[in-house]
């Protein structure tokens, strides 16, 4: 989705306290530690907000579970059983406590533990996301490098046009249009077949259209960003001129020097946008009837199954925060200036 | 020791009265034209769409979206009187697009405006005053941004209940932090400028500085981001409608039109394809315009 | 002194070089017809302010300008015409026959590549040697540029070295394939004064040791006075004065161009009384997209007359070995 490109890595210079310097030697660890510390209030905020929002949804869960014809006593009994008659903060604390121990509660609809439900539907989502991500990255890098070779050349303009379409195509619209084109018109895939099957080939075949729907937008963002970054390196950076002055072949300059340095930004972007990636499954999976987390979330919302919705949403949000942390971590690990620190002589 | 000069016979290098142009005039002209086109073509497309959706119905009466006789049902495109065809209830597709466009425009512009207003104030505050204000506000933004946009919007829409106003507020839950972040980032950059320091030293009040000095310099970045933002909002709003969790009104937005066409995709793909393409063109025009403006104004 | 004609031909002969770009729909004439020559083993200084075209001219010779740049004229390296060669052909010369050292060592080196690797890359671009041979040669080069503990430095990243050492590495890279011509583009501008002197001394020592021709580009006339054999002064894309250094500077030196005179006068001297106002040249260089019809320097020249704005003076050899382009040159341009 177009949102993805706006989230740029924000470098935080920050000060280092003497204590931190004594405790941790490596500057990379310092940075990571600081980031973890700032992430904690965000994580708490995330859990709190989820809980608040979910509890504002009108309707009595006990009533929903038991149905309209249930007697008030039965409802009250279930209320007490589920702990719904406790004050807000108590309930939040109980839930948070459970969360910290890895227990996301019990779903209203089928009394299964939320953990197990998530575990059940997670694999397909993971495969789907992996497929989309890897496809988008590989193609994105390839296209970006080829385009950067001759900026404003034919391939470059073509790739920009395709990227523009990818950026602007609503994923659900793309899913349906691609579905129509490839499944209905060309018959290459089946929209209805939605399992992973017994062998990798079926899995890949069935996941291709959904992965395309998510991946096309990603590909557009990645290739555009990488291309712009590479071109900027090639045109603005002095070390590129030095490399050329050495007599190194243009491909080597492009790939070994410019692209390598641009990949940092790309990888950080990927990690930062983990959240958006996840959000996309909420709409793509229902279209293709894939039994994944996203579809399950929509189901849960439709039947007002609060614990399930809370559980899934919290997991989504936590993954996003983890993605941000990962992005910072990667940035420090990959940039030798930070990894090796300064040792001027 | 004198350096040897290449031409030993004539020691005078003849002056060139006016140098022949090394750069072809044609290429220069093309560069200028192309730059202008990249700005004005998308702008024109957007204006045309706005015009068709809001002005056209008054000029040439289009039947309002919810009439249509069953006799005209399911006409294919290019049928007489209904150039895009009709749906199963006989409603003209073109007028559905127009009314859906009205809904989409209204919602996305309202959301973006609120986002800029509220997000702007919050972001300017956070970026300008820094330290505690910034820390607190940034954490709040981070929490909101941590949720995938769609999920956040769905949740808020659920809570508030189905209605157009509530959908707008739900979408604002996404747009306010997003705009706030952009404002904050741009403000922090501008804050470092020497003329801000000069203004502070001369005793100008903080808010005056913000509105007179910071704001004008932040505007280019905001405009380019918000143009993209409008596209994202329209897509998000469509997604909510698509899932059937949005507003249920007789005039379906483009997203809702796409959703409705889902079930009959095999037989009559145009119900999905037409609104999809219209949506695509709209968002592309927004993106292209944003790119052209970014290029013109030198925003990064 | 009567000029002695060298037996060998010039190493680099530049004739009527012109470079133009199209930016944002306008044409910029960065270099407007310059000519000079460099002998093997000699040092040429190209002096000018920012925007005079001094860097662009040399980069044009090396083929380091972006695509879409229009280059015309001639630049012959040992008889081989360089202008008009394809990039693949130029690459054979680039880094091997002729090499360049750049201004800012902090930015000229790839921050994510080890220093040694950047040198071996230069070697392996032109010679078919094994990795270990390249490594040996690289370490040798590091030693040549007087970097202590070269074996250790080989494995370090640029940010782990000081500014002066980084510049030495850049020089090592340039020397990797024993070039005949070394171009130093503001090589010392980004360094502090002490390091500046060290690097200049190093360049000259290396020039002696390896018998290279050296072109150094600078805005600092003082450097030219101290280190150059021959000086070329550029303004707004043209050569305005050209002479052996001893004819321009020092006692008995005669500076003819108003511009060169102004540059010299602007150098602060300890001998002047304290608080003397520095005679700075007013105004700014002309807009390269709209050059005036007459002499480019006329708008800023204290001695400008009507014929100056009407017609551009030609670069003429008015005295043996000394060329200038001015209708009203300084009469007794004694150097400070």
């Amino acid at each position: 989705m177009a949102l993805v490109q706006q989230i740029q890595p924000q470098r935080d210079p920050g000060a280092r306290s003497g204590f931190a310097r004594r405790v941790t030697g490596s500057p990379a660890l310092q940075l990571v530690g600081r980031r973890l510390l700032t992430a904690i209030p965000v994580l708490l905020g995330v859990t709190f907000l989820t809980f608040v929002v979910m509890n504002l949804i009108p309707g009595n869960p006990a009533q929903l579970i038991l149905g309209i014809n249930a007697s008030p006593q039965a409802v009250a009994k279930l209320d007490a059983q589920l702990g719904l008659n406790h004050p807000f903060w108590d309930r939040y604390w109980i839930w948070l406590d459970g969360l910290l121990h890895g227990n996301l509660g019990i779903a209203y609809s089928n009394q299964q533990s939320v953990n197990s439900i998530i575990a059940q539907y997670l694999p397909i989502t993971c495969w789907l996301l992996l497929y989309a991500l890897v496809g988008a990255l590989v193609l994105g890098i390839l296209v970006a490098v080829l385009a950067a070779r001759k900026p404003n050349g034919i391939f470059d303009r073509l790739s920009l046009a395709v990227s523009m379409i990818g950026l602007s195509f609503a994923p659900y619209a793309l899913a349906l249009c691609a579905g129509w084109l490839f499944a209905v018109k060309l018959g290459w895939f089946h929209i209805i077949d939605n399992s992973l099957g017994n062998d990798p080939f079926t899995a890949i075949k069935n996941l291709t259209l959904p992965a395309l729907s998510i991946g096309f937008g990603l590909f557009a963002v990645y290739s555009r960003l990488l291309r712009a970054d590479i071109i900027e390196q090639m045109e603005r950076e002095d070390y590129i001129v030095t490399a050329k002055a050495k007599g190194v072949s243009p491909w080597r300059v492009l790939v070994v020097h410019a692209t390598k340095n641009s990949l940092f930004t790309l990888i950080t972007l990927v990690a930062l946008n983990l959240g958006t990636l996840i959000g996309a499954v909420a709409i793509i999976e229902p279209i293709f009837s894939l039994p994944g987390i996203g579809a399950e979330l929509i189901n849960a919302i439709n039947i007002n199954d609060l614990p399930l919705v809370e559980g899934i949403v919290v997991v989504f949000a936590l993954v996003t925060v983890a993605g941000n942390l990962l992005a910072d971590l990667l940035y420090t690990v990959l940039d030798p200036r930070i990894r090796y620190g300064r040792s001027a002589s | 020791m004198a350096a040897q000069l290449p031409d030993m016979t004539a020691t005078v290098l003849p002056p060139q009265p006016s140098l022949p142009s090394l750069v072809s005039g044609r290429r220069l002209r093309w560069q200028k034209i192309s730059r202008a086109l990249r700005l004005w073509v998308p702008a024109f497309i957007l204006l045309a769409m706005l015009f068709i959706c809001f002005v056209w119905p008054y000029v040439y009466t289009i039947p309002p979206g919810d009439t249509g006789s069953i006799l005209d049902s399911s006409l294919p495109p290019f049928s007489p009187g209904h150039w895009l065809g009709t749906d199963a209830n006989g409603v003209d597709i073109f007028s559905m697009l127009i009314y859906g466009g009205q809904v989409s425009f209204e919602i996305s512009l309202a959301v973006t405006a609120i986002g800029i207003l509220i997000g702007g104030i919050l972001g300017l505050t956070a970026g300008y005053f820094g330290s505690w204000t910034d820390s607190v506000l940034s954490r709040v933004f981070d929490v909101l941004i941590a949720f995938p946009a769609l999920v956040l919007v769905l949740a808020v829409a659920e809570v508030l209940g189905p209605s157009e106003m509530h959908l707008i507020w739900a979408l604002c839950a996404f747009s306010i932090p997003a705009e706030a972040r952009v404002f904050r980032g741009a403000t922090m950059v501008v804050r470092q400028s020497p003329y801000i320091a000069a203004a502070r030293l001369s005793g100008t009040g903080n808010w005056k500085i913000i509105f007179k000095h910071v704001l004008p310099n932040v505007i280019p970045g905001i405009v380019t981001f918000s143009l993209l933002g409008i596209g994202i909002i329209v897509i998000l709003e469509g997604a909510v409608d698509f899932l059937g969790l949005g507003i249920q009104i007789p005039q379906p937005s483009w997203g809702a039109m796409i959703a409705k066409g889902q079930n009959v995709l095999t037989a009559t793909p145009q119900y999905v394809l037409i609104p999809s393409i219209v949506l695509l063109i709209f968002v592309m025009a927004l993106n292209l315009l944003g790119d052209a403006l970014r290029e013109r104004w030198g925003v990064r | 002194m009567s000029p002695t004609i060298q037996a060998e031909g010039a190493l680099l002969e530049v004739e009527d070089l012109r470079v133009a770009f199209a930016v944002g729909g306008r044409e910029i004439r960065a270099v407007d017809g310059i000519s000079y020559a460099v002998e093997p083993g000699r040092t040429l200084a190209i002096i000018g302010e920012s925007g005079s075209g001094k860097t662009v001219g040399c980069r044009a010779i090396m083929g380091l300008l972006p695509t879409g740049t229009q280059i015309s004229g001639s630049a012959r390296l040992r008889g081989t015409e360089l202008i008009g060669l394809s990039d693949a052909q130029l690459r054979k010369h680039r880094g091997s026959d002729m090499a360049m050292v750049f201004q800012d060592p902090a930015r000229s080196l790839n921050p994510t590549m080890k220093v040694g690797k950047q040198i071996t890359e230069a070697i392996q671009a032109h010679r078919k040697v094994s990795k270990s041979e390249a490594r040996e040669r690289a370490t040798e080069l590091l030693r040549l540029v007087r970097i202590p503990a070269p074996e250790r430095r080989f494995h370090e990243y640029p940010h782990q070295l000081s500014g002066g050492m980084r510049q030495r590495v850049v020089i090592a890279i340039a020397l990797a394939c024993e070039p005949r011509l070394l171009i130093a583009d503001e090589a010392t501008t980004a360094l502090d004064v002490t390091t500046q002197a060290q690097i200049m001394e190093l360049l000259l020592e290396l020039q002696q040791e390896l018998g290279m021709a050296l072109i150094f580009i600078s805005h600092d006339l003082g450097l030219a006075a101290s280190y150059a054999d021959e000086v070329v002064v550029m303004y707004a894309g043209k050569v305005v004065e050209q002479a052996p250094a001893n004819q321009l500077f020092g006692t008995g030196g005669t500076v003819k161009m108003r511009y060169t005179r102004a540059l010299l006068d602007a150098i602060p001297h300890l001998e002047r009384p304290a608080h003397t106002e520095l005679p700075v040249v007013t105004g700014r260089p002309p807009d390269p997209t709209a050059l005036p019809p007459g002499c480019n320097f006329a708008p800023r020249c204290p001695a400008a007359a009507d014929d100056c704005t009407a017609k551009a003076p030609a670069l003429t050899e008015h005295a043996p070995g000394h060329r200038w382009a001015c209708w009203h040159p300084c009469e007794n341009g004694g150097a400070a």
Side-chain angles (χ1 to χ4, degrees):
Chain A
M1 289 172 113
L3 167 64
V4 161
Q5 75 185 62
Q6 294 309 315
I7 307 180
Q8 294 289 336
Q10 308 213 5
R11 303 290 299 283
D12 185 302
R16 291 180 198 164
S17 75
F19 175 67
R21 214 196 322 245
R22 267 181 283 127
V23 166
T24 59
S26 149
L29 267 174
Q30 284 179 24
L31 208 65
V32 171
R34 277 184 61 248
R35 276 284 180 244
L36 273 170
L37 275 159
T38 51
I40 290 179
V42 177
L43 290 170
L44 275 173
V46 160
T47 57
F48 183 68
L49 189 62
T50 316
F51 194 77
V52 163
V53 170
M54 285 304 123
N55 277 276
L56 289 175
I57 293 182
N60 185 334
Q63 184 87 61
L64 284 166
I65 296 178
L66 294 175
I68 305 183
N69 298 321
S71 66
Q73 296 96 324
V75 171
K77 186 153 159 244
L78 190 52
D79 239 1
Q81 220 179 1
L82 289 173
L84 289 170
N85 51 358
H86 290 276
F88 176 81
W89 286 104
D90 283 1
R91 279 186 287 137
Y92 174 57
W93 181 244
I94 295 173
W95 181 67
L96 185 61
D97 188 51
L99 183 61
L100 289 171
H101 289 102
N103 179 4
L104 291 164
I106 310 278
Y108 289 162
S109 49
N110 55 7
Q111 298 302 307
Q112 267 186 290
S113 88
V114 173
N115 288 36
S116 68
I117 296 181
I118 291 182
Q120 191 184 345
Y121 292 102
L122 200 51
I124 269 202
T125 304
C126 286
W127 285 117
L128 173 62
L129 289 178
L130 201 67
Y131 191 172
L133 197 58
V134 168
L137 272 176
V138 167
L139 278 176
I141 294 178
L142 209 65
V143 167
V145 171
L146 286 172
R149 178 73 183 94
K150 265 199 168 40
N152 293 324
I154 298 187
F155 185 82
D156 190 25
R157 288 194 203 273
L158 214 67
S159 79
L160 279 176
V162 171
S163 297
M164 181 48 74
I165 296 180
L167 274 179
S168 316
F169 224 140
Y172 45 92
L174 176 61
L176 289 175
C177 293
W180 174 75
L181 178 62
F182 292 112
V184 176
K185 266 285 172 182
L186 296 174
W188 290 352
F189 304 97
H190 304 287
I191 311 190
I192 312 175
D193 211 341
N194 60 11
S195 60
L196 285 183
N198 292 323
D199 61 289
F201 291 113
T202 328
I204 291 181
K205 199 166 143 204
N206 290 342
L207 285 181
T208 299
L209 279 179
L212 175 70
S213 312
I214 300 180
F216 190 33
L218 286 179
F219 157 79
V221 172
Y222 295 158
S223 72
R224 239 165 84 109
L225 186 89
L226 190 61
R227 169 200 170 274
D229 211 336
I230 295 178
I231 289 182
E232 195 176 310
Q233 301 270 328
M234 295 285 285
E235 283 178 5
R236 302 259 165 100
E237 290 292 333
D238 292 347
Y239 69 84
I240 296 288
V241 182
T242 311
K244 285 191 193 163
K246 288 190 234 183
V248 170
S249 88
W251 275 111
R252 202 185 145 87
V253 175
L254 184 68
V255 175
V256 173
H257 288 266
T259 309
K260 212 178 88 175
N261 288 339
S262 303
L263 279 177
F264 298 165
T265 326
L266 183 65
I267 290 181
T268 345
L269 184 74
V270 172
L272 276 176
N273 288 308
L274 227 44
T276 329
L277 190 58
I278 290 171
V281 303
I283 199 155
I284 296 295
E285 283 176 1
I287 295 179
F288 293 98
S289 307
L290 282 174
I293 293 271
E296 192 56 24
L297 176 64
I298 301 298
N299 278 341
I301 290 181
N302 278 327
I303 62 178
N304 275 323
D305 190 339
L306 290 177
L308 191 50
V309 175
E310 275 167 359
I312 298 181
V313 168
V314 159
V315 167
F316 276 11
L318 291 181
V319 170
T320 312
V321 176
N324 288 358
L325 274 177
L326 186 64
D328 278 326
L329 183 66
L330 282 174
Y331 220 92
T332 57
V333 162
L334 291 175
D335 189 342
R337 282 171 288 195
I338 304 184
R339 201 152 129 220
Y340 292 104
R342 312 223 151 259
S343 68
S345 61
Chain B
M1 307 284 189
Q4 298 296 312
L5 288 152
D7 196 342
M8 285 310 288
T9 51
T11 49
V12 177
L13 293 165
Q16 309 278 316
S18 75
L19 295 160
S21 176
L22 286 179
V23 184
S24 90
R26 209 179 57 173
R27 174 126 73 96
L28 294 176
R29 260 180 286 131
W30 171 244
Q31 274 186 357
K32 278 193 189 149
I33 294 179
S34 142
R35 259 172 58 136
L37 277 180
R38 264 178 288 151
L39 179 70
W40 290 109
V41 168
F44 176 73
I45 293 180
L46 286 171
L47 288 170
M49 286 180 128
L50 269 171
F51 178 81
I52 294 178
C53 285
F54 287 101
V55 180
W56 187 247
Y58 292 109
V59 171
Y60 174 68
T61 30
I62 301 260
D66 55 353
T67 63
S69 75
I70 211 78
L71 298 168
D72 283 333
S73 78
S74 301
L75 289 175
F78 304 120
S79 318
H82 300 279
W83 70 286
L84 286 175
T86 61
D87 76 347
N89 295 325
V91 181
D92 177 44
I93 300 270
F94 184 57
S95 38
M96 273 175 82
L97 278 178
I98 291 185
Y99 289 105
Q102 287 184 355
V103 172
S104 295
F105 276 120
E106 279 164 9
I107 295 185
S108 59
L109 286 173
V111 171
T112 306
I114 297 178
I116 291 180
L117 207 60
I118 300 183
I121 297 201
L122 292 175
L124 282 168
T125 313
Y128 184 80
F129 292 107
S131 79
W132 281 111
T133 325
D134 183 27
S135 296
V136 168
L137 281 174
S138 286
R139 295 296 150 257
V140 172
F141 300 152
D142 285 348
V143 168
L144 286 168
I145 294 182
F147 295 92
L150 183 59
V151 171
L152 181 63
V153 173
L154 283 176
V156 178
E158 262 299 285
V159 168
L160 295 177
S163 98
E164 187 165 341
M165 213 42 229
H166 291 160
L167 182 58
I168 290 182
W169 283 115
L171 288 165
C172 286
F174 160 74
S175 105
I176 291 177
E179 293 276 359
R181 250 201 178 179
V182 176
F183 268 97
R184 172 182 176 270
T187 307
M188 283 171 80
V189 169
V190 172
R191 182 118 177 14
Q192 315 285 1
S193 310
Y195 57 87
I196 299 287
R200 294 180 76 211
L201 281 171
S202 76
T204 322
N206 277 327
W207 283 102
K208 200 150 164 235
I209 295 182
I210 291 182
F211 283 107
K212 256 185 81 173
H213 297 284
V214 177
L215 196 56
N217 286 295
V218 156
I219 286 183
I222 296 300
V223 169
T224 48
F225 175 76
S226 302
L227 276 173
L228 257 66
I230 295 178
I232 299 174
I233 303 286
V234 171
I235 292 182
L236 267 179
E237 187 261 325
V240 174
D241 290 335
F242 186 87
L243 290 170
L245 297 166
I247 42 183
Q248 310 292 341
I249 47 168
Q251 331 275 29
S253 72
W254 293 337
M257 285 173 75
I258 300 177
K260 275 165 66 170
Q262 230 188 140
N263 298 326
V264 291
L265 184 61
T266 330
T268 46
Q270 69 262 30
Y271 298 137
V272 165
L273 292 178
I274 292 177
S276 295
I277 293 179
V278 171
L279 184 58
L280 176 63
I281 293 179
F282 177 61
V283 180
M284 264 212 310
L286 282 169
N287 282 338
L288 285 169
L289 182 61
D291 276 354
L293 284 176
R294 202 181 300 142
E295 186 188 336
R296 182 92 42 125
W297 291 337
V299 179
R300 308 202 89 232
Chain C
M1 273 173 103
S2 58
T4 328
I5 300 183
Q6 298 285 344
E8 317 162 84
L11 180 66
L12 175 70
E13 291 169 15
V14 175
E15 196 177 329
D16 197 33
L17 184 65
R18 290 162 199 276
V19 181
F21 310 95
V23 172
R26 290 172 331 168
E27 179 194 32
I28 297 183
R29 293 214 193 114
V31 176
D32 210 2
I34 62 175
S35 307
Y36 56 83
V38 189
E39 300 280 296
R42 308 278 292 160
T43 307
L44 171 72
I46 302 184
I47 305 293
E49 55 189 301
S50 315
S52 55
K54 50 193 202 300
T55 298
V56 172
C58 289
R59 290 206 185 188
I61 298 172
M62 292 273 287
L64 289 174
L65 293 175
T67 45
T69 316
Q70 303 273 25
I71 309 176
S72 78
S74 152
R76 283 188 297 275
L77 182 69
R78 283 205 286 199
T80 315
E81 177 61 63
L82 297 174
I83 309 296
L85 281 187
S86 75
D87 189 62
Q89 291 166 315
L90 254 179
R91 243 188 296 137
K92 295 207 193 89
H93 298 283
R94 217 162 47 208
S96 60
D97 292 335
M98 54 181 185
M100 204 156 168
V101 174
F102 301 94
Q103 176 171 339
D104 190 351
R107 300 172 54 100
S108 301
L109 293 172
N110 188 337
T112 58
M113 197 188 259
K114 290 188 187 160
V115 149
K117 183 89 195 295
Q118 302 197 39
I119 305 180
T120 55
E121 193 184 27
I123 301 172
Q124 292 182 305
H126 297 280
R127 307 275 159 85
K128 277 215 160 0
V129 291
S130 74
K131 231 172 90 165
S132 52
E133 279 171 351
R135 222 175 98 165
E136 263 177 55
R137 169 93 180 121
T139 320
E140 199 187 298
L141 282 163
L142 286 172
R143 205 169 287 126
L144 186 67
V145 294
R146 330 262 193 262
I147 289 184
E151 297 86 2
R152 185 165 65 98
R153 296 294 178 192
F154 185 93
H155 296 288
E156 286 184 350
Y157 287 96
H159 67 273
Q160 293 173 282
L161 304 173
S162 72
M165 281 214 279
R166 278 189 282 235
Q167 194 63 310
R168 290 168 195 269
V169 169
V170 175
I171 296 175
I173 292 176
L175 297 176
C177 301
E178 289 164 347
R180 304 265 55 123
L181 171 68
L182 182 65
I183 306 178
D185 186 357
E186 305 259 21
T188 55
T189 308
L191 303 168
D192 64 82
V193 183
T194 337
T195 323
Q196 248 187 37
Q198 286 174 359
I199 297 291
M200 282 308 301
E201 296 292 335
L202 174 68
L203 281 174
L204 288 162
E205 280 168 27
L206 290 169
Q207 184 195 24
Q208 300 272 17
E209 279 180 50
L210 305 169
M212 301 181 297
L214 177 65
I215 296 181
F216 76 84
I217 302 173
S218 179
H219 56 267
D220 188 347
L221 262 185
L223 275 182
S226 313
Y227 298 109
D229 294 320
E230 171 102 3
V231 178
V232 164
V233 180
M234 282 183 69
Y235 185 74
K238 290 197 173 66
V239 175
V240 294
E241 187 159 11
Q242 186 173 4
N246 52 11
Q247 281 192 24
L248 280 182
F249 309 116
T251 46
T254 45
V255 170
K256 286 303 181 180
M257 271 299 294
R258 298 285 171 183
Y259 179 60
T260 323
R261 174 84 260 154
L263 282 178
L264 267 179
D265 287 341
I267 299 176
H269 292 281
L270 285 175
E271 300 83 50
R272 289 208 191 117
H275 304 295
T276 317
E277 223 177 83
L278 219 60
V280 174
V281 186
T282 53
R284 311 177 84 232
D287 181 356
T289 58
L291 292 170
C295 169
N296 284 335
F297 188 58
R300 302 166 77 185
C301 183
D306 286 330
D307 50 350
C308 297
T309 43
K311 192 159 170 237
L315 185 70
T316 321
E317 185 163 359
H318 295 288
H322 191 164
R323 301 176 163 215
W324 61 84
C326 185
W327 298 126
H328 304 280
C330 313
E331 281 317 307
N332 52 339

